[in-house]
Amino acid sequence: QVLRKTLQRGVALSTGSFLVYEAHKLVSGFAEVHASFKVEEVIEQADYLYGSGETEKLYQLLVQHKNSDDAELLWRLARASRDLAQLSSTSAEEKRQLAYEALAYAKKALEKNESNFAAHKWYGICLSDVGDFEGIKTKIGNAIVIKEHFQRAIELNPKDATTIHLIGIWCYSFAEMPWYQRKIAATLFATPPTSTFQEALHYFHMAEEADPNFYSKNLLFLGKTYLKLNNKKMALLWLSKAKEYPAHTEEDKQV
């Protein structure tokens, strides 16, 4: 029966070589299943460590898989690299190196899966971080690209509150941009990017609606934006919520 099937496929193999061929296929199949299982296992471990705030352990786990072609692993590695860079114990030189590493991992994640919302999100975040090292001209020059990736992330996952918050931050930054940075923007773009505090407020509220009380910084920026709009009553409401937010991370403490 095996030989009949072989002939039907038009493959001229001896019985011995056919068995070797079939054995190779079987082993390859097991290898693929095992590789798939391993990726899922690493992601599960990574999400546990992320939820536990184990930044250094998370980075050490994921950096072993930096040559992976899996977008889910790669964007998590970009996030872990960035989180490690944010630690106060990380030196200035290490912060710079990790920022560029994070961008490279996020870019690779995007290349492997353009439909992965988190890859777009973290590429935008990491591109913004690199601008901190390359100067205001580069940061403003990247602004449109960053916003486009955040918007694409929201198209792919409309319920991701963090990405909605990030567009709010983008709007807030351009709304309060000082005059000299506006002049730089005018030299880089035919129509420089602009925004308003009302637009920023819209996105911060939209993020809160998507996932109430999800992020201390969103509460803070709701308060700050209301202050910019001279609404002290609403500013006090949101700043009080930010102040009372349980501080799980270093960023929460700063907020």
Side-chain angles (χ1 to χ4, degrees), residues 71 75 106-107 109-111 113-114 116-124 149:
W75 75 252
K107 184 180 179 182
L110 209 50
E111 289 167 355
N113 186 356
E114 204 276 336
N116 188 301
F117 91 93
H120 283 279
K121 170 176 156 179
W122 286 99
Y123 182 77
H149 281 284

Side-chain angles (χ1 to χ4, degrees), residues 6 21-22 48 58 68 82 92 116 137 144 191 197 200 232 238:
T6 303
Y21 169 71
E22 289 298 319
Y48 174 78
L58 175 60
S68 170
R82 183 183 188 270
N116 188 301
K137 198 168 183 177
I144 297 294
T191 308
F197 291 116
K232 291 184 179 178
W238 289 104

Side-chain angles (χ1 to χ4, degrees), residues 10 25 28 116 118 125 141 249 251:
K25 277 175 59 183
S28 298
N116 188 301
I125 292 169
T249 66
E251 186 177 47

